[in-house]
PDB file of all heavy atoms in Angstrom:
ATOM      1  N   SER A 184       0.926   9.340  -1.898  1.00 94.00           N
ATOM      2  CA  SER A 184      -0.061  10.065  -1.089  1.00 94.00           C
ATOM      3  C   SER A 184      -0.615  11.257  -1.855  1.00 94.00           C
ATOM      4  O   SER A 184      -1.824  11.531  -1.822  1.00 94.00           O
ATOM      5  CB  SER A 184       0.580  10.531   0.224  1.00 94.00           C
ATOM      6  OG  SER A 184       0.978   9.428   1.014  1.00 94.00           O
ATOM      7  N   LEU A 185       0.247  11.974  -2.548  1.00 94.00           N
ATOM      8  CA  LEU A 185      -0.211  13.088  -3.379  1.00 94.00           C
ATOM      9  C   LEU A 185      -1.143  12.590  -4.478  1.00 94.00           C
ATOM     10  O   LEU A 185      -2.130  13.256  -4.834  1.00 94.00           O
ATOM     11  CB  LEU A 185       0.983  13.813  -3.991  1.00 94.00           C
ATOM     12  CG  LEU A 185       1.840  14.643  -3.028  1.00 94.00           C
ATOM     13  CD1 LEU A 185       3.109  15.113  -3.733  1.00 94.00           C
ATOM     14  CD2 LEU A 185       1.062  15.834  -2.492  1.00 94.00           C
ATOM     15  N   GLY A 186      -0.830  11.413  -5.005  1.00 91.00           N
ATOM     16  CA  GLY A 186      -1.679  10.843  -6.047  1.00 91.00           C
ATOM     17  C   GLY A 186      -3.060  10.496  -5.530  1.00 91.00           C
ATOM     18  O   GLY A 186      -4.075  10.802  -6.169  1.00 91.00           O
ATOM     19  N   VAL A 187      -3.126   9.864  -4.357  1.00 91.00           N
ATOM     20  CA  VAL A 187      -4.407   9.486  -3.769  1.00 91.00           C
ATOM     21  C   VAL A 187      -5.257  10.723  -3.470  1.00 91.00           C
ATOM     22  O   VAL A 187      -6.481  10.716  -3.629  1.00 91.00           O
ATOM     23  CB  VAL A 187      -4.174   8.660  -2.485  1.00 91.00           C
ATOM     24  CG1 VAL A 187      -5.459   8.519  -1.683  1.00 91.00           C
ATOM     25  CG2 VAL A 187      -3.640   7.280  -2.839  1.00 91.00           C
ATOM     26  N   ASP A 188      -4.599  11.797  -3.045  1.00 90.00           N
ATOM     27  CA  ASP A 188      -5.314  13.032  -2.697  1.00 90.00           C
ATOM     28  C   ASP A 188      -5.621  13.917  -3.902  1.00 90.00           C
ATOM     29  O   ASP A 188      -6.209  14.990  -3.750  1.00 90.00           O
ATOM     30  CB  ASP A 188      -4.505  13.825  -1.676  1.00 90.00           C
ATOM     31  CG  ASP A 188      -4.425  13.114  -0.328  1.00 90.00           C
ATOM     32  OD1 ASP A 188      -5.305  12.273  -0.061  1.00 90.00           O
ATOM     33  OD2 ASP A 188      -3.486  13.382   0.433  1.00 90.00           O
ATOM     34  N   GLY A 189      -5.202  13.489  -5.097  1.00 89.00           N
ATOM     35  CA  GLY A 189      -5.493  14.251  -6.307  1.00 89.00           C
ATOM     36  C   GLY A 189      -4.521  15.373  -6.609  1.00 89.00           C
ATOM     37  O   GLY A 189      -4.664  16.067  -7.626  1.00 89.00           O
ATOM     38  N   GLN A 190      -3.526  15.556  -5.745  1.00 90.00           N
ATOM     39  CA  GLN A 190      -2.591  16.666  -5.937  1.00 90.00           C
ATOM     40  C   GLN A 190      -1.580  16.388  -7.045  1.00 90.00           C
ATOM     41  O   GLN A 190      -1.123  17.314  -7.728  1.00 90.00           O
ATOM     42  CB  GLN A 190      -1.855  16.956  -4.625  1.00 90.00           C
ATOM     43  CG  GLN A 190      -2.763  17.418  -3.507  1.00 90.00           C
ATOM     44  CD  GLN A 190      -3.526  18.680  -3.885  1.00 90.00           C
ATOM     45  OE1 GLN A 190      -2.958  19.632  -4.412  1.00 90.00           O
ATOM     46  NE2 GLN A 190      -4.822  18.682  -3.627  1.00 90.00           N
ATOM     47  N   LEU A 191      -1.229  15.135  -7.231  1.00 88.00           N
ATOM     48  CA  LEU A 191      -0.255  14.801  -8.275  1.00 88.00           C
ATOM     49  C   LEU A 191      -0.842  15.063  -9.652  1.00 88.00           C
ATOM     50  O   LEU A 191      -0.160  15.567 -10.550  1.00 88.00           O
ATOM     51  CB  LEU A 191       0.173  13.339  -8.137  1.00 88.00           C
ATOM     52  CG  LEU A 191       1.489  12.939  -8.816  1.00 88.00           C
ATOM     53  CD1 LEU A 191       2.650  13.744  -8.259  1.00 88.00           C
ATOM     54  CD2 LEU A 191       1.744  11.445  -8.603  1.00 88.00           C
ATOM     55  N   ASP A 192      -2.122  14.741  -9.829  1.00 87.00           N
ATOM     56  CA  ASP A 192      -2.785  15.021 -11.102  1.00 87.00           C
ATOM     57  C   ASP A 192      -2.819  16.513 -11.384  1.00 87.00           C
ATOM     58  O   ASP A 192      -2.639  16.961 -12.521  1.00 87.00           O
ATOM     59  CB  ASP A 192      -4.211  14.474 -11.090  1.00 87.00           C
ATOM     60  CG  ASP A 192      -4.269  12.998 -11.452  1.00 87.00           C
ATOM     61  OD1 ASP A 192      -3.288  12.494 -12.027  1.00 87.00           O
ATOM     62  OD2 ASP A 192      -5.280  12.350 -11.142  1.00 87.00           O
ATOM     63  N   LYS A 193      -3.058  17.297 -10.347  1.00 88.00           N
ATOM     64  CA  LYS A 193      -3.111  18.745 -10.511  1.00 88.00           C
ATOM     65  C   LYS A 193      -1.773  19.284 -11.013  1.00 88.00           C
ATOM     66  O   LYS A 193      -1.713  20.093 -11.941  1.00 88.00           O
ATOM     67  CB  LYS A 193      -3.474  19.399  -9.181  1.00 88.00           C
ATOM     68  CG  LYS A 193      -3.701  20.887  -9.248  1.00 88.00           C
ATOM     69  CD  LYS A 193      -4.014  21.463  -7.866  1.00 88.00           C
ATOM     70  CE  LYS A 193      -5.280  20.858  -7.292  1.00 88.00           C
ATOM     71  NZ  LYS A 193      -5.632  21.472  -5.978  1.00 88.00           N
ATOM     72  N   ARG A 194      -0.692  18.806 -10.415  1.00 88.00           N
ATOM     73  CA  ARG A 194       0.639  19.287 -10.807  1.00 88.00           C
ATOM     74  C   ARG A 194       1.057  18.769 -12.179  1.00 88.00           C
ATOM     75  O   ARG A 194       1.667  19.488 -12.968  1.00 88.00           O
ATOM     76  CB  ARG A 194       1.677  18.870  -9.759  1.00 88.00           C
ATOM     77  CG  ARG A 194       1.463  19.512  -8.411  1.00 88.00           C
ATOM     78  CD  ARG A 194       1.518  21.020  -8.490  1.00 88.00           C
ATOM     79  NE  ARG A 194       1.184  21.624  -7.207  1.00 88.00           N
ATOM     80  CZ  ARG A 194       1.029  22.928  -7.029  1.00 88.00           C
ATOM     81  NH1 ARG A 194       1.151  23.758  -8.063  1.00 88.00           N
ATOM     82  NH2 ARG A 194       0.720  23.413  -5.841  1.00 88.00           N
ATOM     83  N   ARG A 195       0.731  17.515 -12.474  1.00 88.00           N
ATOM     84  CA  ARG A 195       1.163  16.983 -13.766  1.00 88.00           C
ATOM     85  C   ARG A 195       0.413  17.673 -14.891  1.00 88.00           C
ATOM     86  O   ARG A 195       0.952  17.856 -15.980  1.00 88.00           O
ATOM     87  CB  ARG A 195       1.015  15.470 -13.814  1.00 88.00           C
ATOM     88  CG  ARG A 195      -0.390  14.898 -13.707  1.00 88.00           C
ATOM     89  CD  ARG A 195      -0.991  14.569 -15.043  1.00 88.00           C
ATOM     90  NE  ARG A 195      -2.319  13.998 -14.894  1.00 88.00           N
ATOM     91  CZ  ARG A 195      -3.191  13.939 -15.882  1.00 88.00           C
ATOM     92  NH1 ARG A 195      -2.900  14.445 -17.085  1.00 88.00           N
ATOM     93  NH2 ARG A 195      -4.379  13.407 -15.695  1.00 88.00           N
ATOM     94  N   MET A 196      -0.832  18.109 -14.649  1.00 89.00           N
ATOM     95  CA  MET A 196      -1.552  18.868 -15.677  1.00 89.00           C
ATOM     96  C   MET A 196      -0.919  20.238 -15.884  1.00 89.00           C
ATOM     97  O   MET A 196      -0.822  20.724 -17.007  1.00 89.00           O
ATOM     98  CB  MET A 196      -3.028  18.996 -15.294  1.00 89.00           C
ATOM     99  CG  MET A 196      -3.815  17.703 -15.484  1.00 89.00           C
ATOM    100  SD  MET A 196      -5.608  17.888 -15.274  1.00 89.00           S
ATOM    101  CE  MET A 196      -5.717  18.150 -13.503  1.00 89.00           C
ATOM    102  N   GLN A 197      -0.455  20.847 -14.790  1.00 90.00           N
ATOM    103  CA  GLN A 197       0.226  22.128 -14.914  1.00 90.00           C
ATOM    104  C   GLN A 197       1.525  21.992 -15.699  1.00 90.00           C
ATOM    105  O   GLN A 197       1.942  22.918 -16.408  1.00 90.00           O
ATOM    106  CB  GLN A 197       0.511  22.696 -13.528  1.00 90.00           C
ATOM    107  CG  GLN A 197      -0.736  23.141 -12.776  1.00 90.00           C
ATOM    108  CD  GLN A 197      -0.427  23.579 -11.354  1.00 90.00           C
ATOM    109  OE1 GLN A 197       0.688  23.386 -10.864  1.00 90.00           O
ATOM    110  NE2 GLN A 197      -1.412  24.178 -10.699  1.00 90.00           N
ATOM    111  N   LEU A 198       2.146  20.825 -15.563  1.00 87.00           N
ATOM    112  CA  LEU A 198       3.407  20.565 -16.267  1.00 87.00           C
ATOM    113  C   LEU A 198       3.193  19.940 -17.639  1.00 87.00           C
ATOM    114  O   LEU A 198       4.170  19.621 -18.329  1.00 87.00           O
ATOM    115  CB  LEU A 198       4.288  19.646 -15.409  1.00 87.00           C
ATOM    116  CG  LEU A 198       4.732  20.225 -14.061  1.00 87.00           C
ATOM    117  CD1 LEU A 198       5.406  19.164 -13.217  1.00 87.00           C
ATOM    118  CD2 LEU A 198       5.675  21.410 -14.272  1.00 87.00           C
TER     119      LEU A 198
END
Side-chain angles (χ1 to χ4, degrees):
S184 296
L185 289 171
V187 167
D188 293 338
Q190 297 302 314
L191 200 60
D192 276 342
K193 186 182 299 183
R194 295 300 175 187
R195 64 97 179 162
M196 286 189 289
Q197 291 175 350
L198 297 171

